[in-house]
Amino acid sequence: MKISVELTLTPLHDDYEPSIIHFIKKLRASGLTVLENPLSTQVYGDYDVVMQLLTTEIKEAFTLVERGLVYIKIVKSDRNEYEPHF
């Protein structure tokens, strides 16, 4: 089953940028389709592969920050080629 996941990592401390950059670089290195914009990062692929990656990388991200949040949206389908039709 293919999924699309939108993530926003929000460290709750000053000097947050290195934590976010590290997290995104780890996602990029996964070999999955990863797209970024200023507000979130999207990951696309097989459910089991994506969820295993997120479990590992979110845990690492949380060990690297004092406090933080991760917002996650999951859609059942690969939407990486979505283009609005309006």
Side-chain angles (χ1 to χ4, degrees), residues 29-84:
S30 70
L32 294 169
T33 300
V34 177
L35 303 175
E36 302 143 29
N37 65 53
L39 299 176
S40 66
T41 301
Q42 295 83 41
V43 181
Y44 305 91
D46 181 72
Y47 179 90
D48 292 329
V49 175
V50 172
M51 296 307 286
Q52 182 177 17
L53 171 71
L54 295 180
T55 298
T56 301
E57 298 308 329
I58 290 170
K59 183 176 183 177
E60 180 179 337
F62 279 169
T63 64
L64 297 174
V65 299
E66 185 176 334
R67 290 177 306 279
L69 301 169
V70 174
Y71 298 97
I72 302 174
K73 296 178 191 175
I74 302 172
V75 176
K76 182 184 172 188
S77 69
D78 186 332
R79 307 286 291 167
N80 75 329
E81 294 183 9
Y82 171 78
E83 292 186 28

Side-chain angles (χ1 to χ4, degrees), residues 12-44:
L12 300 174
H13 58 80
D14 294 333
D15 193 31
Y16 56 86
E17 212 169 72
S19 302
I20 295 171
I21 292 169
H22 178 77
F23 182 67
I24 292 172
K25 285 183 176 182
K26 296 293 290 269
L27 296 177
R28 286 179 185 166
S30 70
L32 294 169
T33 300
V34 177
L35 303 175
E36 302 143 29
N37 65 53
L39 299 176
S40 66
T41 301
Q42 295 83 41
V43 181
Y44 305 91

